[in-house]
């Protein structure tokens, strides 16, 4: 998602934008840094900018938004974008989510006067307020509360519905997903020192994993990444049907992720049930007692609506306590281990990667939110992202 925090100088774009970027696990772009030196000089002297002054600045901001959007990266930018015409220009080709920071002008003036590190002359506030054209399509936020409260409200509003990104091709879909995952991991590691991800198997995600293995294109601090599995077929780790083997061959053998950070589901213990218990023990070393702490779960969707190895109408969907269970799937290989809904729904971000027309009906049904297991994830996860190619998106109600 590309978010632009807009509003007059002093409305809190930088403070709130930086915090929001942390919450969304992405980079914050300070639009003011893209002003040419001549503009900064003018503002410093208290001379208002005109449209011509703002042109090269808006061009630079738009280029940054466009690049992030094309890469699939989330980005939060701060940019006053006072006029409708500026906003129209910035969102040409980029689906911008505007957040309009507004409030009592006296409060904003007091905050402006209190800050010492900015080139803007506080007297310019009046001219900015006169220039401001109130946006009608923005999330409007009053800036009177504490930054944490405001950002919490913004984050909830922005992530209340699933984010759906449709790419014109399967390859484009993998590239968008890879851009998001790489930037999400970088931001998470920068903030928390590590990133815990659970990945899936099946046919689809190999295209994503192969892209992520391109360490030049997708720089990732692999030594701080821990990889878990959403589900596994109960077959030996070198079996061609093993999800671990697939991830190893497409990604993990090609990137510098330390072996001790790779946590495959065991599949050679005395029973699948014992393996589920053993995996739950491993997860308990990393997660909070309520099952929180996975930063990202990467999921797929089966034509029958299953995700991980949670199949519609099966007893595992009703699991409320255990984090990992052994199941008998209605497809081969039948014996599997899977994370359960109590764990998947507590991840900070759940992302579904789906490609191909054969899944179009399943995607449309899942997104209506009325069927399980996906319905529970849509209802309960803090943030849900869908990456679809145009074929998989073909039946969505829009
Ligand atoms: C598995 C997966 C599973 C997968 C879906 C979609 O082990 O099969 O982890 O949950 O995500 O079945 O699989 P396809 O991409 O193969 O259709």
């Amino acid at each position: 998602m590309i978010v632009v925090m807009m509003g007059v100088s002093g409305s809190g774009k930088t403070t709130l934008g930086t915090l929001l970027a942390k919450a969304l696990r992405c980079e914050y772009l300070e639009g003011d840094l893209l002003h040419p030196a001549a503009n900064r000089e003018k503002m410093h002297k208290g001379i208002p900018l005109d449209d011509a002054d703002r042109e090269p600045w808006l061009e630079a901001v738009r280029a940054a938004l466009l690049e992030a959007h094309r890469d699939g990266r989330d980005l939060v930018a701060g940019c006053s974008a006072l006029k409708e015409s500026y906003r129209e220009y910035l969102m040409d080709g980029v689906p911008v989510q505007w957040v309009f920071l507004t409030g009592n002008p006296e409060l904003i003036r007091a905050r402006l006067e209190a800050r010492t590190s900015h080139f803007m002359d506080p007297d310019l506030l009046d001219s900015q307020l006169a220039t401001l054209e109130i946006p009608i399509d923005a999330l409007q936020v009053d800036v009177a509360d504490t930054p944490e409260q405001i950002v919490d409200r913004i984050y909830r509003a922005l992530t209340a519905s699933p984010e759906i990104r449709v790419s014109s091709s399967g390859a484009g879909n993998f590239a968008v997903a890879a851009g998001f995952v790489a930037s999400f991991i970088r931001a998470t590691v920068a903030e928390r020192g590590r990133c815990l991800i659970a990945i899936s198997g099946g046919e689809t995600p190999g295209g994503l994993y192969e892209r992520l293995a391109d360490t030049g294109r997708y720089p990732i601090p692999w030594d701080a990444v821990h990889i878990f599995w959403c589900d596994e077929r109960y077959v030996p780790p070198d079996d061609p049907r093993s999800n671990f083997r697939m991830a190893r061959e497409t990604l993990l053998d090609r990137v510098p992720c330390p072996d001790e950070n790779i946590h495959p589901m065991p599949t050679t213990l005395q029973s699948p049930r014992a393996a589920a218990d053993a995996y739950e023990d491993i997860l308990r070393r990393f997660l909070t007692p309520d099952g929180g702490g996975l930063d990202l779960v990467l999921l797929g969707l089966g034509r029958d609506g299953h995700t991980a190895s949670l199949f519609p109408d099966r007893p595992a969907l009703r699991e409320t306590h255990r984090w990992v269970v052994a199941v008998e799937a209605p497809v081969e290989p039948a014996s599997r281990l899977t994370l359960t809904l109590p764990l998947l729904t507590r991840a900070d971000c759940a992302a579904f990667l789906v490609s191909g027309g054969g899944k179009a009906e399943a995607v449309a049904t899942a997104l209506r939110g009325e069927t399980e297991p996906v319905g529970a994830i849509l209802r309960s996860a803090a943030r849900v992202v869908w990456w679809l190619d145009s074929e998989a998106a073909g039946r969505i109600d829009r």
Side-chain angles (χ1 to χ4, degrees):
M1 129 165 58
I2 305 292
V3 185
V4 179
M5 313 292 279
M6 58 153 295
V8 295
S9 191
S11 57
K13 298 186 289 293
T14 306
T15 307
L16 301 173
T18 307
L19 286 175
L20 181 65
K22 276 187 187 155
L24 285 170
R25 320 286 182 93
C26 68
E27 204 188 313
Y28 174 69
L29 172 78
E30 179 57 69
D32 279 347
L33 295 178
L34 302 179
H35 268 296
N39 285 3
R40 290 197 228 181
E41 184 66 20
K42 262 182 135 176
M43 289 188 273
H44 188 58
K45 290 185 180 149
I47 308 169
L49 301 180
D50 58 24
D51 281 1
D53 294 324
R54 288 187 178 119
E55 215 177 280
W57 168 61
L58 290 171
E59 205 177 302
V61 176
R62 178 167 177 267
L65 302 183
L66 204 59
E67 194 188 324
H69 178 61
R70 286 197 185 132
D71 286 356
R73 281 181 287 124
D74 281 349
L75 183 69
V76 179
C79 173
S80 53
L82 299 176
K83 291 188 184 180
E84 190 58 31
S85 59
Y86 303 165
R87 296 190 289 268
E88 270 167 19
Y89 173 73
L90 289 173
M91 62 195 293
D92 181 16
V94 189
V96 172
Q97 172 65 61
W98 297 98
V99 178
F100 173 39
L101 304 175
T102 181
N104 179 340
E106 289 323 308
L107 171 74
I108 293 178
R109 189 182 308 281
R111 287 186 182 165
L112 255 185
E113 280 167 355
R115 80 184 181 189
T116 51
S117 59
H118 198 275
F119 51 75
M120 181 87 177
D121 181 328
D123 290 344
L124 283 181
L125 180 60
D126 292 333
S127 103
Q128 290 216 334
L129 286 167
T131 308
L132 174 68
E133 296 167 6
I134 308 277
I136 46 168
D137 50 357
L139 172 66
Q140 183 162 325
V141 184
D142 192 290
V143 296
D145 289 330
T146 67
E148 288 71 22
Q149 287 167 325
I150 299 168
V151 167
D152 188 55
R153 268 207 308 278
I154 299 173
Y155 181 83
R156 282 168 195 270
L158 295 181
T159 55
S161 333
E163 298 157 46
I164 302 174
R165 175 80 186 262
V166 180
S167 300
S168 54
S169 65
N173 198 24
F174 294 139
V176 161
F180 178 99
V181 171
S183 123
F184 185 99
I185 293 175
R186 285 196 297 271
T188 303
V189 171
E191 182 60 17
R192 309 183 168 200
R194 68 177 192 185
C195 184
L196 309 184
I197 301 190
I199 64 174
S200 291
E203 300 284 322
T204 315
L208 163 63
Y209 301 160
E210 276 169 355
R211 271 174 184 71
L212 290 174
D214 180 347
T215 51
R217 172 101 183 73
Y218 299 104
I220 289 174
W222 281 108
D223 55 344
V225 178
H226 285 260
I227 303 284
F228 300 88
W229 269 258
C230 291
D231 70 329
E232 183 57 278
R233 294 95 182 267
Y234 204 76
V235 294
D238 56 352
D239 187 290
R241 298 165 299 173
S242 157
N243 288 341
F244 167 66
R245 174 172 166 168
M246 189 277 275
R248 196 168 51 69
E249 289 178 349
T250 53
L251 175 65
L252 300 171
D253 279 352
R254 309 189 198 175
V255 295
C257 187
D259 284 349
E260 61 273 22
N261 290 11
I262 299 175
H263 311 282
M265 288 179 157
T267 54
T268 50
L269 300 190
Q270 66 275 29
S271 69
R273 167 75 203 230
D277 288 346
Y279 205 56
E280 191 157 322
D281 287 344
I282 293 175
L283 286 164
R284 286 200 187 276
R285 301 212 305 266
F286 291 88
L287 305 186
T288 58
D290 69 349
L294 281 174
D295 295 296
L296 179 63
V297 293
L298 292 175
L299 294 162
L301 183 73
R303 288 173 194 230
D304 57 2
H306 80 266
T307 193
S309 282
L310 294 169
F311 287 79
D313 305 320
R314 294 281 165 142
L317 290 183
R318 293 193 294 277
E319 179 61 51
T320 54
H321 185 63
R322 295 170 56 83
W323 292 356
V324 190
V325 292
V327 295
E328 284 298 311
V331 293
E332 282 302 317
S335 177
R336 296 172 178 220
L337 303 176
T338 184
L339 302 188
T340 59
L341 286 172
L343 201 63
L344 292 174
T345 55
R346 280 192 188 91
D348 290 345
C349 180
F352 290 85
L353 175 69
V354 193
S355 281
K359 302 270 181 79
E361 199 53 57
V363 168
T365 306
L367 276 170
R368 274 183 227 117
E370 293 154 6
T371 48
E372 307 309 331
V374 176
I377 297 173
L378 290 175
R379 285 190 299 280
S380 312
R383 182 176 183 195
V384 182
V385 177
W386 288 76
W387 299 300
L388 306 172
D389 65 5
S390 50
E391 293 184 351
R395 308 290 285 267
I396 302 177
D397 313 324
R398 286 196 183 238

